[in-house]
Amino acid sequence: DTEVTQTPKHLVMGMTNKKSLKCEQHMGHRAMYWYKQKAKKPPELMFVYSYEKLSINESVPSRFSPECPNSSLLNLHLHALQPEDSALYLCASSQGPFGLAGVSSYNEQFFGPGTRLTVL
Amino acid sequence: SQQGEEDPQALSIQEGENATMNCSYKTSINNLQWYRQNSGRGLVHLILIRSNEREKHSGRLRVTLDTSKKSSSLLITASRAADTASYFCATPYTGGFKTIFGAGTRLFVKA
């Protein structure tokens, strides 16, 4: 199974709502990522989890709260978002920067289809 | 700021023609990757080229890497309408989990 799934596909929320995005993979990958992508722009890294621990937070506002309950799941909790947070949110996973041998820096990322978020 | 910059920003060609996209990056890398993204969907990994490789092929894709110029190119031969997508180069920071994507090239292949 080489698929990363994301739910929901689309989400519309008000600025006072609390919602969560979910991501799941069953490839045994120990690194998982959240990206934000605006129209006609490249994905921008938000968070990286490695072995269920937060490794990188790219100075993301606290209204975005990531969570990694186990090695297969990644959540992004949303609260008090702003209209400018409307974007495509992509989840990805990879073996990490090092392969099983601990030498290679091969880190192809497998992406989910994304959640299209609209904040009203 | 983005690590990789790509040109052209957009490219429109006829089916059957070749498409070439270029990527430049700023820091030392140990590999460079190319991804494709169909409109509004997730990215799909196309090919990875290591810093000690100069050229790599995968089907109709040919990637070159020039570490002295800090640049890479992606050539798609005999393009098809289904190749219409955005193409991004991506460079991982050495030793880290962070991958930086270039600005991307939007390719339109007309049938």
Side-chain angles (χ1 to χ4, degrees):
Chain A
D1 183 1
T2 58
E3 189 181 22
V4 176
T5 59
Q6 288 188 246
T7 56
K9 289 185 180 179
H10 302 274
L11 178 62
V12 179
M13 60 187 290
M15 290 189 285
T16 58
N17 292 156
K18 284 185 181 181
K19 297 286 184 182
S20 296
L21 309 184
K22 296 185 185 301
C23 173
E24 190 167 4
Q25 58 88 15
H26 295 287
M27 293 177 278
H29 291 166
R30 303 312 297 269
M32 296 186 77
Y33 312 77
W34 280 115
Y35 289 88
K36 173 183 177 181
Q37 186 179 27
K38 300 285 255 184
K40 298 182 180 179
K41 296 290 186 182
E44 292 182 7
L45 184 66
M46 300 176 70
F47 302 103
V48 180
Y49 273 83
S50 172
Y51 291 86
E52 296 96 70
K53 288 184 169 48
L54 184 64
S55 296
I56 295 177
N57 177 342
E58 288 289 284
S59 302
V60 178
S62 60
R63 57 186 184 268
F64 295 91
S65 175
E67 178 196 20
C68 191
N70 60 56
S71 59
S72 300
L73 293 174
L74 186 66
N75 298 322
L76 186 62
H77 302 297
L78 314 173
H79 174 54
L81 295 192
Q82 303 297 311
E84 59 263 30
D85 296 322
S86 297
L88 181 68
Y89 287 83
L90 295 163
C91 172
S93 71
S94 75
Q95 284 186 330
F98 299 108
L100 293 175
V103 174
S104 166
S105 60
Y106 175 65
N107 62 342
E108 169 190 352
Q109 293 184 33
F110 292 78
F111 282 81
T115 293
R116 176 72 61 186
L117 174 66
T118 302
V119 182
L120 302 176
Chain B
S1 65
Q2 293 300 319
Q3 164 82 312
E5 298 298 328
E6 293 174 70
D7 75 272
Q9 290 186 341
L11 181 60
S12 183
I13 59 174
Q14 292 290 135
E15 214 169 24
E17 294 180 339
N18 296 342
T20 300
M21 289 157 265
N22 303 297
C23 167
S24 60
Y25 56 92
K26 297 175 183 175
T27 63
S28 297
I29 60 170
N30 47 31
N31 70 60
L32 184 143
Q33 301 167 49
W34 285 90
Y35 287 82
R36 183 188 74 225
Q37 184 178 34
N38 290 87
S39 181
R41 300 191 55 81
L43 281 73
V44 174
H45 184 266
L46 294 176
I47 196 166
L48 178 150
I49 185 166
R50 301 188 190 282
S51 59
N52 61 354
E53 297 175 312
R54 292 295 169 259
E55 188 171 311
K56 199 162 183 180
H57 297 256
S58 177
R60 294 184 294 113
L61 305 181
R62 173 177 169 256
V63 168
T64 62
L65 179 64
D66 187 334
T67 53
S68 66
K69 295 181 179 178
K70 291 187 168 57
S71 67
S72 174
S73 67
L74 170 67
L75 168 68
I76 303 174
T77 60
S79 63
R80 305 166 182 167
D83 294 328
T84 294
S86 292
Y87 292 82
F88 297 95
C89 67
T91 50
Y93 281 142
T94 303
F97 286 92
K98 191 170 177 175
T99 295
I100 301 297
F101 289 86
T105 293
R106 286 182 290 135
L107 174 66
F108 301 92
V109 181
K110 293 176 280 188

mmCIF file of all heavy atoms in Angstrom, chain B residues 21-50:
data_model
loop_
_atom_site.group_PDB
_atom_site.id
_atom_site.type_symbol
_atom_site.label_atom_id
_atom_site.label_comp_id
_atom_site.label_asym_id
_atom_site.label_seq_id
_atom_site.Cartn_x
_atom_site.Cartn_y
_atom_site.Cartn_z
ATOM 1 N N MET B 21 12.357 21.919 -18.654
ATOM 2 C CA MET B 21 12.195 22.811 -17.518
ATOM 3 C C MET B 21 13.513 22.850 -16.754
ATOM 4 O O MET B 21 14.204 21.833 -16.652
ATOM 5 C CB MET B 21 11.092 22.296 -16.580
ATOM 6 C CG MET B 21 9.720 22.435 -17.168
ATOM 7 S SD MET B 21 8.529 21.301 -16.443
ATOM 8 C CE MET B 21 8.604 19.963 -17.607
ATOM 9 N N ASN B 22 13.834 24.019 -16.243
ATOM 10 C CA ASN B 22 15.099 24.208 -15.556
ATOM 11 C C ASN B 22 14.891 24.597 -14.098
ATOM 12 O O ASN B 22 13.902 25.249 -13.765
ATOM 13 C CB ASN B 22 15.923 25.286 -16.255
ATOM 14 C CG ASN B 22 16.172 24.957 -17.701
ATOM 15 O OD1 ASN B 22 16.814 23.971 -18.027
ATOM 16 N ND2 ASN B 22 15.622 25.769 -18.595
ATOM 17 N N CYS B 23 15.846 24.208 -13.277
ATOM 18 C CA CYS B 23 15.773 24.494 -11.840
ATOM 19 C C CYS B 23 17.145 24.927 -11.369
ATOM 20 O O CYS B 23 18.158 24.295 -11.722
ATOM 21 C CB CYS B 23 15.314 23.236 -11.111
ATOM 22 S SG CYS B 23 15.512 23.271 -9.319
ATOM 23 N N SER B 24 17.199 26.002 -10.603
ATOM 24 C CA SER B 24 18.460 26.398 -9.988
ATOM 25 C C SER B 24 18.276 26.404 -8.472
ATOM 26 O O SER B 24 17.176 26.662 -7.976
ATOM 27 C CB SER B 24 18.895 27.782 -10.474
ATOM 28 O OG SER B 24 17.922 28.745 -10.147
ATOM 29 N N TYR B 25 19.331 26.100 -7.761
ATOM 30 C CA TYR B 25 19.259 26.048 -6.302
ATOM 31 C C TYR B 25 20.469 26.766 -5.722
ATOM 32 O O TYR B 25 21.401 27.122 -6.447
ATOM 33 C CB TYR B 25 19.171 24.594 -5.819
ATOM 34 C CG TYR B 25 20.292 23.709 -6.281
ATOM 35 C CD1 TYR B 25 21.434 23.553 -5.510
ATOM 36 C CD2 TYR B 25 20.219 23.025 -7.497
ATOM 37 C CE1 TYR B 25 22.471 22.742 -5.920
ATOM 38 C CE2 TYR B 25 21.253 22.216 -7.916
ATOM 39 C CZ TYR B 25 22.371 22.067 -7.127
ATOM 40 O OH TYR B 25 23.406 21.270 -7.545
ATOM 41 N N LYS B 26 20.426 26.951 -4.397
ATOM 42 C CA LYS B 26 21.421 27.853 -3.817
ATOM 43 C C LYS B 26 22.497 27.162 -2.981
ATOM 44 O O LYS B 26 23.645 27.571 -2.974
ATOM 45 C CB LYS B 26 20.710 28.900 -2.952
ATOM 46 C CG LYS B 26 19.777 29.797 -3.747
ATOM 47 C CD LYS B 26 18.994 30.750 -2.858
ATOM 48 C CE LYS B 26 18.012 31.578 -3.669
ATOM 49 N NZ LYS B 26 17.156 32.423 -2.811
ATOM 50 N N THR B 27 22.109 26.126 -2.236
ATOM 51 C CA THR B 27 23.073 25.537 -1.319
ATOM 52 C C THR B 27 23.505 24.158 -1.799
ATOM 53 O O THR B 27 22.965 23.623 -2.765
ATOM 54 C CB THR B 27 22.482 25.421 0.089
ATOM 55 O OG1 THR B 27 21.352 24.531 0.048
ATOM 56 C CG2 THR B 27 22.011 26.772 0.599
ATOM 57 N N SER B 28 24.464 23.571 -1.121
ATOM 58 C CA SER B 28 24.911 22.219 -1.462
ATOM 59 C C SER B 28 23.788 21.228 -1.227
ATOM 60 O O SER B 28 23.001 21.373 -0.300
ATOM 61 C CB SER B 28 26.110 21.840 -0.590
ATOM 62 O OG SER B 28 27.187 22.684 -0.842
ATOM 63 N N ILE B 29 23.735 20.241 -2.089
ATOM 64 C CA ILE B 29 22.675 19.233 -1.970
ATOM 65 C C ILE B 29 23.288 17.843 -2.065
ATOM 66 O O ILE B 29 24.388 17.670 -2.579
ATOM 67 C CB ILE B 29 21.602 19.384 -3.080
ATOM 68 C CG1 ILE B 29 22.246 19.231 -4.462
ATOM 69 C CG2 ILE B 29 20.895 20.716 -2.954
ATOM 70 C CD1 ILE B 29 21.247 19.128 -5.592
ATOM 71 N N ASN B 30 22.569 16.857 -1.567
ATOM 72 C CA ASN B 30 23.000 15.479 -1.818
ATOM 73 C C ASN B 30 22.088 14.773 -2.800
ATOM 74 O O ASN B 30 22.434 13.718 -3.319
ATOM 75 C CB ASN B 30 23.136 14.678 -0.517
ATOM 76 C CG ASN B 30 21.947 14.856 0.381
ATOM 77 O OD1 ASN B 30 20.832 15.049 -0.093
ATOM 78 N ND2 ASN B 30 22.191 14.791 1.676
ATOM 79 N N ASN B 31 20.917 15.366 -3.044
ATOM 80 C CA ASN B 31 20.113 14.877 -4.154
ATOM 81 C C ASN B 31 19.114 15.960 -4.557
ATOM 82 O O ASN B 31 18.902 16.937 -3.822
ATOM 83 C CB ASN B 31 19.402 13.556 -3.816
ATOM 84 C CG ASN B 31 18.281 13.721 -2.806
ATOM 85 O OD1 ASN B 31 17.321 14.443 -3.029
ATOM 86 N ND2 ASN B 31 18.407 13.041 -1.671
ATOM 87 N N LEU B 32 18.534 15.806 -5.715
ATOM 88 C CA LEU B 32 17.513 16.720 -6.200
ATOM 89 C C LEU B 32 16.393 15.866 -6.772
ATOM 90 O O LEU B 32 16.648 14.854 -7.427
ATOM 91 C CB LEU B 32 18.080 17.667 -7.259
ATOM 92 C CG LEU B 32 17.139 18.754 -7.799
ATOM 93 C CD1 LEU B 32 17.912 20.045 -8.058
ATOM 94 C CD2 LEU B 32 16.407 18.315 -9.040
ATOM 95 N N GLN B 33 15.176 16.284 -6.498
ATOM 96 C CA GLN B 33 14.021 15.503 -6.926
ATOM 97 C C GLN B 33 13.097 16.353 -7.783
ATOM 98 O O GLN B 33 13.065 17.580 -7.664
ATOM 99 C CB GLN B 33 13.266 15.004 -5.696
ATOM 100 C CG GLN B 33 14.113 14.141 -4.779
ATOM 101 C CD GLN B 33 13.448 13.918 -3.441
ATOM 102 O OE1 GLN B 33 12.295 13.552 -3.377
ATOM 103 N NE2 GLN B 33 14.199 14.141 -2.363
ATOM 104 N N TRP B 34 12.361 15.688 -8.627
ATOM 105 C CA TRP B 34 11.321 16.339 -9.429
ATOM 106 C C TRP B 34 9.977 15.695 -9.092
ATOM 107 O O TRP B 34 9.870 14.477 -8.973
ATOM 108 C CB TRP B 34 11.610 16.191 -10.918
ATOM 109 C CG TRP B 34 12.719 17.084 -11.396
ATOM 110 C CD1 TRP B 34 14.050 16.799 -11.433
ATOM 111 C CD2 TRP B 34 12.572 18.422 -11.903
ATOM 112 N NE1 TRP B 34 14.757 17.867 -11.939
ATOM 113 C CE2 TRP B 34 13.880 18.874 -12.233
ATOM 114 C CE3 TRP B 34 11.488 19.275 -12.123
ATOM 115 C CZ2 TRP B 34 14.106 20.146 -12.770
ATOM 116 C CZ3 TRP B 34 11.714 20.528 -12.649
ATOM 117 C CH2 TRP B 34 13.014 20.950 -12.970
ATOM 118 N N TYR B 35 8.976 16.578 -8.941
ATOM 119 C CA TYR B 35 7.621 16.148 -8.643
ATOM 120 C C TYR B 35 6.670 16.741 -9.678
ATOM 121 O O TYR B 35 6.918 17.815 -10.226
ATOM 122 C CB TYR B 35 7.178 16.638 -7.260
ATOM 123 C CG TYR B 35 7.814 15.928 -6.087
ATOM 124 C CD1 TYR B 35 9.079 16.292 -5.637
ATOM 125 C CD2 TYR B 35 7.138 14.906 -5.411
ATOM 126 C CE1 TYR B 35 9.661 15.658 -4.552
ATOM 127 C CE2 TYR B 35 7.714 14.265 -4.319
ATOM 128 C CZ TYR B 35 8.971 14.646 -3.909
ATOM 129 O OH TYR B 35 9.545 14.010 -2.824
ATOM 130 N N ARG B 36 5.565 16.056 -9.893
ATOM 131 C CA ARG B 36 4.488 16.562 -10.745
ATOM 132 C C ARG B 36 3.238 16.735 -9.898
ATOM 133 O O ARG B 36 2.966 15.935 -8.985
ATOM 134 C CB ARG B 36 4.190 15.573 -11.884
ATOM 135 C CG ARG B 36 3.128 16.056 -12.873
ATOM 136 C CD ARG B 36 2.729 14.969 -13.850
ATOM 137 N NE ARG B 36 1.887 13.965 -13.220
ATOM 138 C CZ ARG B 36 2.045 12.666 -13.367
ATOM 139 N NH1 ARG B 36 3.032 12.180 -14.101
ATOM 140 N NH2 ARG B 36 1.225 11.830 -12.768
ATOM 141 N N GLN B 37 2.461 17.777 -10.217
ATOM 142 C CA GLN B 37 1.201 18.015 -9.530
ATOM 143 C C GLN B 37 0.133 18.337 -10.551
ATOM 144 O O GLN B 37 0.223 19.358 -11.239
ATOM 145 C CB GLN B 37 1.312 19.159 -8.513
ATOM 146 C CG GLN B 37 0.025 19.367 -7.703
ATOM 147 C CD GLN B 37 0.160 20.462 -6.679
ATOM 148 O OE1 GLN B 37 0.857 21.456 -6.882
ATOM 149 N NE2 GLN B 37 -0.519 20.306 -5.536
ATOM 150 N N ASN B 38 -0.848 17.468 -10.637
ATOM 151 C CA ASN B 38 -2.018 17.778 -11.446
ATOM 152 C C ASN B 38 -2.877 18.769 -10.675
ATOM 153 O O ASN B 38 -2.849 18.802 -9.448
ATOM 154 C CB ASN B 38 -2.797 16.503 -11.772
ATOM 155 C CG ASN B 38 -2.038 15.630 -12.744
ATOM 156 O OD1 ASN B 38 -1.212 14.814 -12.335
ATOM 157 N ND2 ASN B 38 -2.278 15.810 -14.022
ATOM 158 N N SER B 39 -3.657 19.529 -11.393
ATOM 159 C CA SER B 39 -4.371 20.667 -10.821
ATOM 160 C C SER B 39 -5.114 20.330 -9.537
ATOM 161 O O SER B 39 -5.989 19.463 -9.530
ATOM 162 C CB SER B 39 -5.349 21.223 -11.860
ATOM 163 O OG SER B 39 -6.037 22.330 -11.350
ATOM 164 N N GLY B 40 -4.752 20.997 -8.456
ATOM 165 C CA GLY B 40 -5.465 20.868 -7.200
ATOM 166 C C GLY B 40 -5.306 19.539 -6.500
ATOM 167 O O GLY B 40 -6.087 19.228 -5.596
ATOM 168 N N ARG B 41 -4.301 18.765 -6.883
ATOM 169 C CA ARG B 41 -4.125 17.444 -6.270
ATOM 170 C C ARG B 41 -2.747 17.343 -5.616
ATOM 171 O O ARG B 41 -1.973 18.290 -5.616
ATOM 172 C CB ARG B 41 -4.315 16.361 -7.322
ATOM 173 C CG ARG B 41 -5.700 16.391 -7.953
ATOM 174 C CD ARG B 41 -5.997 15.181 -8.797
ATOM 175 N NE ARG B 41 -5.828 13.918 -8.094
ATOM 176 C CZ ARG B 41 -6.726 13.394 -7.279
ATOM 177 N NH1 ARG B 41 -7.840 14.034 -7.016
ATOM 178 N NH2 ARG B 41 -6.512 12.223 -6.718
ATOM 179 N N GLY B 42 -2.475 16.180 -5.033
ATOM 180 C CA GLY B 42 -1.195 15.985 -4.375
ATOM 181 C C GLY B 42 -0.058 15.857 -5.366
ATOM 182 O O GLY B 42 -0.263 15.699 -6.573
ATOM 183 N N LEU B 43 1.151 15.944 -4.847
ATOM 184 C CA LEU B 43 2.339 15.831 -5.693
ATOM 185 C C LEU B 43 2.714 14.361 -5.872
ATOM 186 O O LEU B 43 2.536 13.547 -4.973
ATOM 187 C CB LEU B 43 3.510 16.586 -5.067
ATOM 188 C CG LEU B 43 3.525 18.096 -5.249
ATOM 189 C CD1 LEU B 43 2.483 18.763 -4.378
ATOM 190 C CD2 LEU B 43 4.901 18.650 -4.959
ATOM 191 N N VAL B 44 3.266 14.073 -7.032
ATOM 192 C CA VAL B 44 3.723 12.716 -7.339
ATOM 193 C C VAL B 44 5.211 12.776 -7.633
ATOM 194 O O VAL B 44 5.656 13.585 -8.464
ATOM 195 C CB VAL B 44 2.962 12.131 -8.550
ATOM 196 C CG1 VAL B 44 3.558 10.784 -8.943
ATOM 197 C CG2 VAL B 44 1.485 12.000 -8.231
ATOM 198 N N HIS B 45 5.979 11.940 -6.950
ATOM 199 C CA HIS B 45 7.417 11.902 -7.161
ATOM 200 C C HIS B 45 7.725 11.308 -8.532
ATOM 201 O O HIS B 45 7.201 10.250 -8.903
ATOM 202 C CB HIS B 45 8.065 11.056 -6.066
ATOM 203 C CG HIS B 45 9.550 11.016 -6.120
ATOM 204 N ND1 HIS B 45 10.248 10.024 -6.776
ATOM 205 C CD2 HIS B 45 10.475 11.854 -5.605
ATOM 206 C CE1 HIS B 45 11.529 10.257 -6.647
ATOM 207 N NE2 HIS B 45 11.708 11.351 -5.939
ATOM 208 N N LEU B 46 8.584 11.997 -9.299
ATOM 209 C CA LEU B 46 8.941 11.528 -10.636
ATOM 210 C C LEU B 46 10.295 10.854 -10.661
ATOM 211 O O LEU B 46 10.448 9.732 -11.179
ATOM 212 C CB LEU B 46 8.951 12.697 -11.623
ATOM 213 C CG LEU B 46 7.615 13.370 -11.902
ATOM 214 C CD1 LEU B 46 7.823 14.567 -12.822
ATOM 215 C CD2 LEU B 46 6.623 12.401 -12.513
ATOM 216 N N ILE B 47 11.292 11.532 -10.122
ATOM 217 C CA ILE B 47 12.648 11.032 -10.275
ATOM 218 C C ILE B 47 13.549 11.724 -9.260
ATOM 219 O O ILE B 47 13.325 12.867 -8.877
ATOM 220 C CB ILE B 47 13.147 11.268 -11.728
ATOM 221 C CG1 ILE B 47 14.373 10.428 -12.046
ATOM 222 C CG2 ILE B 47 13.366 12.734 -12.001
ATOM 223 C CD1 ILE B 47 14.682 10.368 -13.550
ATOM 224 N N LEU B 48 14.558 11.007 -8.808
ATOM 225 C CA LEU B 48 15.556 11.545 -7.894
ATOM 226 C C LEU B 48 16.926 11.363 -8.524
ATOM 227 O O LEU B 48 17.227 10.292 -9.070
ATOM 228 C CB LEU B 48 15.483 10.797 -6.554
ATOM 229 C CG LEU B 48 16.479 11.170 -5.452
ATOM 230 C CD1 LEU B 48 15.849 10.935 -4.069
ATOM 231 C CD2 LEU B 48 17.785 10.412 -5.560
ATOM 232 N N ILE B 49 17.723 12.402 -8.479
ATOM 233 C CA ILE B 49 19.087 12.309 -8.996
ATOM 234 C C ILE B 49 20.037 12.696 -7.867
ATOM 235 O O ILE B 49 19.830 13.699 -7.179
ATOM 236 C CB ILE B 49 19.283 13.192 -10.259
ATOM 237 C CG1 ILE B 49 20.673 12.972 -10.849
ATOM 238 C CG2 ILE B 49 18.998 14.664 -9.986
ATOM 239 C CD1 ILE B 49 20.822 13.526 -12.272
ATOM 240 N N ARG B 50 21.053 11.890 -7.651
ATOM 241 C CA ARG B 50 21.983 12.137 -6.566
ATOM 242 C C ARG B 50 23.077 13.107 -7.018
ATOM 243 O O ARG B 50 23.334 13.264 -8.210
ATOM 244 C CB ARG B 50 22.595 10.827 -6.073
ATOM 245 C CG ARG B 50 21.551 9.854 -5.580
ATOM 246 C CD ARG B 50 22.160 8.625 -4.911
ATOM 247 N NE ARG B 50 21.141 7.623 -4.673
ATOM 248 C CZ ARG B 50 20.263 7.677 -3.690
ATOM 249 N NH1 ARG B 50 20.267 8.681 -2.846
ATOM 250 N NH2 ARG B 50 19.364 6.726 -3.542
#
